[in-house]
């Protein structure tokens, strides 16, 4: 095995993190387990994956790549709230974390945990559901999106309450 190439600072140069189809479920559950470990250490309840929030995250990851910029607005002007509503999520959006990187999901999570606004989304005590997705370009660049939601327990059938 060849040692990693070193940069001018003597540290290993970053390597492109390639995601293959066989690793997709592993990555999703690795992120879920890691988020729940962080939440547990903070005394917060665990979250579970939501297919609807996963869909909203996947749509936004691909759209950020199309726009070639990491930001919270879709190319159609949509906000994170708009995207979770479009996929039929009836809970409340807690927050959305995004990243443009060549790093793994766990390196991305570590970076989110270093900043108060993104850390607060991950550790929010009201969150009970999580969506997580990515889009990897042929260059290896990865657009990550994590969405946290709180199920709407106040709405009654037929009330029309969206919880947002």
């Amino acid at each position: 095995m060849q040692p990693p190439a070193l940069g001018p600072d003597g540290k290993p140069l970053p390597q492109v993190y390639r995601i293959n189809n066989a690793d997709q479920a592993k990555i999703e559950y690795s992120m879920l387990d890691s988020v729940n470990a962080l939440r547990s250490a903070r005394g917060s309840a665990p979250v579970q994956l939501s297919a609807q929030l996963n869909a909203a995250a996947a749509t936004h990851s691909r759209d950020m790549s199309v726009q070639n910029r990491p930001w919270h607005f879709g190319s159609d002007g949509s906000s994170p709230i708009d995207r979770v509503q479009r996929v039929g999520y009836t809970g409340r959006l807690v927050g959305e974390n995004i990243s443009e990187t060549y790093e793994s999901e766990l390196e991305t999570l570590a970076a989110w945990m270093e900043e108060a606004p993104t850390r607060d989304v991950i550790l929010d005590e009201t969150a009970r559901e999580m969506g997580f997705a990515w889009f990897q370009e042929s260059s290896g660049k990865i657009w990550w999106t994590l969405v946290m939601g709180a199920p709407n327990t106040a709405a009654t059938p037929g009330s029309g309450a969206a919880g947002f």
Side-chain angles (χ1 to χ4, degrees), residues 5-17:
L6 302 178
D9 59 1
K11 295 182 180 176
L13 292 172
Q15 303 222 355
V16 174
Y17 179 65

Side-chain angles (χ1 to χ4, degrees), residues 65-105:
S65 172
V66 168
Q67 297 182 72
N68 196 33
R69 62 178 166 182
W71 74 326
H72 293 283
F73 294 96
S75 56
D76 61 356
S78 62
S79 71
I81 292 172
D82 296 330
R83 289 188 293 277
V84 298
Q85 286 176 334
R86 284 180 189 164
V87 297
Y89 188 70
T90 58
R92 179 181 59 83
L93 173 70
V94 171
E96 174 183 80
N97 290 347
I98 57 174
S99 180
E100 165 197 19
T101 184
Y102 291 90
E103 297 177 331
S104 73
E105 69 280 1

Side-chain angles (χ1 to χ4, degrees), residues 108-127:
T108 301
L109 177 59
W112 284 334
M113 291 301 290
E114 291 176 8
E115 300 293 330
T118 50
R119 180 177 55 243
D120 290 348
V121 168
I122 293 163
L123 299 178
D124 188 290
E125 291 185 13
T126 65

Side-chain angles (χ1 to χ4, degrees), residues 1-4 15:
M1 181 174 198
Q2 188 175 12
Q15 303 222 355

